[in-house]
Amino acid sequence: MIKWKIHHKKESVSTNLDALAGKSGDVFTADYQSAGRGRLDHKWESVKGENLMMSAVVAREEASPEKVATLPLVAGVAIAEALKVDSSLKWPNDVWYKNKKLAGVLCERRGDNVIIGIGLNVNAYPIALKDRSTSLKEILGERQSVIEIRDAILASLSSFYQAWLIRGFDEHLRAIIAKRDYLRGKTVSVRQTDDDSEPIEGVCEGIAEDGSLLVGGERIYAGEAHIEGVR
Ligand code: BT5
């Protein structure tokens, strides 16, 4: 088990920025982020004091960039397995409950480390995103302890991360992910991040051994997937 060391702030700009000063095993948390980040130029919205925002630092070790590409999925499944709700994983880095987003993961490679940023709506979701986000409180009907959930996720992250370091993105891990795969079997439209091409549309066949999304026989490495009727 990784022995995590927590560094908490009431207010941060972004815990992923705080984590730049960390070493392997450090975890940076905050009650509020003034400029929480998602992928690309997306924002991660805070609701003061209500939710989990944390960035765990792990050693990159000998993990190749290709291998690190599967880490957001490993973090996502670690979150999903730690929660007491039946959540799904939405490629590449989200945890959803039914048709709403519950948590997001932002992994960044920095020097010898990877920063695993996790935002999870524990007791509130941003009002402006009410049509497409939810919280554990909304699902379970009562307030949840942010600290208990933080600790459950860190324990789960520790075991999934260590298994991944040893065995990689193997069949066993992929089978756990496949059971929670939100997109598999659905007709999706995926806007690719790296080019200006038309979105790829087709039935999603799941996630491949390199972490890419399989749609209509094509492998998609970075992008945003949409299902008709769901924002
Ligand atoms: C993510 O990006 O989902 C990654 C979010 C990672 C946030 C954590 S918090 C701790 C650490 N420090 C940081 O600064 N970041 C990490 P992406 O897939 O790009 O999704 C971003 C999109 O999710 C936004 O464009 C909104 O549509 C939506 N969103 C923003 N805040 C949300 C929230 N609290 N709940 C649900 N959806 C949200």
Side-chain angles (χ1 to χ4, degrees):
M1 286 288 274
I2 301 174
K3 223 175 160 324
W4 301 106
K5 187 168 175 218
I6 313 278
H7 308 267
H8 184 72
K9 274 187 183 175
K10 274 202 165 343
E11 188 163 338
S12 163
V13 174
S14 154
T15 57
N16 266 34
L17 291 179
D18 299 332
L20 290 174
K23 55 183 189 314
S24 183
D26 284 339
V27 175
F28 296 82
T29 59
D31 292 334
Y32 177 75
Q33 290 183 141
S34 54
R37 292 184 295 130
R39 292 173 306 139
L40 313 167
D41 57 352
H42 303 160
K43 288 195 179 112
W44 185 257
E45 308 288 345
S46 287
V47 185
K48 222 170 212 162
E50 299 285 14
N51 293 333
L52 178 66
M53 283 154 277
M54 74 173 171
S55 301
V57 183
V58 293
R60 187 148 63 92
E61 312 207 345
E62 72 286 4
S64 60
E66 298 77 54
K67 188 172 173 188
V68 171
T70 60
L71 191 52
L73 292 162
V74 177
V77 77
I79 299 168
E81 293 280 318
L83 301 178
K84 294 192 192 87
V85 301
D86 186 19
S87 56
S88 355
L89 289 171
K90 180 171 180 275
W91 181 93
N93 64 322
D94 285 1
V95 179
W96 278 42
Y97 180 79
K98 299 200 171 144
N99 285 332
K100 291 181 172 179
K101 182 158 168 168
L102 181 60
V105 175
L106 176 66
C107 287
E108 298 183 295
R109 280 200 292 146
R110 293 289 179 263
D112 291 339
N113 295 329
V114 184
I115 297 166
I116 305 173
I118 295 172
L120 167 70
N121 297 331
V122 178
N123 290 309
Y125 52 79
I127 293 299
L129 300 174
K130 71 172 170 19
D131 296 342
R132 50 196 162 115
S133 65
T134 186
S135 68
L136 291 176
K137 181 182 166 204
E138 184 179 58
I139 300 164
L140 294 166
E142 56 187 357
R143 285 188 71 81
Q144 303 293 311
S145 155
V146 175
I147 302 283
E148 277 172 27
I149 286 158
R150 177 199 73 190
D151 290 345
I153 291 176
L154 286 174
S156 177
L157 183 62
S158 168
S159 61
F160 274 98
Y161 174 75
Q162 286 180 323
W164 171 84
L165 264 190
I166 296 164
R167 297 197 296 270
F169 197 60
D170 68 350
E171 240 168 76
H172 175 69
L173 188 49
R174 293 204 324 272
I176 300 173
I177 291 175
K179 279 198 200 133
R180 294 187 181 272
D181 190 338
Y182 178 74
L183 299 173
R184 195 161 70 131
K186 294 191 173 128
T187 301
V188 298
S189 167
V190 190
R191 204 160 19 87
Q192 296 195 80
T193 309
D194 307 334
D195 60 35
D196 300 329
S197 57
E198 288 294 301
I200 296 180
E201 291 181 3
V203 175
C204 174
E205 293 121 32
I207 294 166
E209 69 293 340
D210 58 359
S212 61
L213 190 71
L214 298 167
V215 178
E218 289 198 55
R219 282 176 189 243
I220 304 173
Y221 289 92
E224 195 92 37
H226 294 277
I227 297 171
E228 208 172 314
V230 179
R231 291 185 66 194

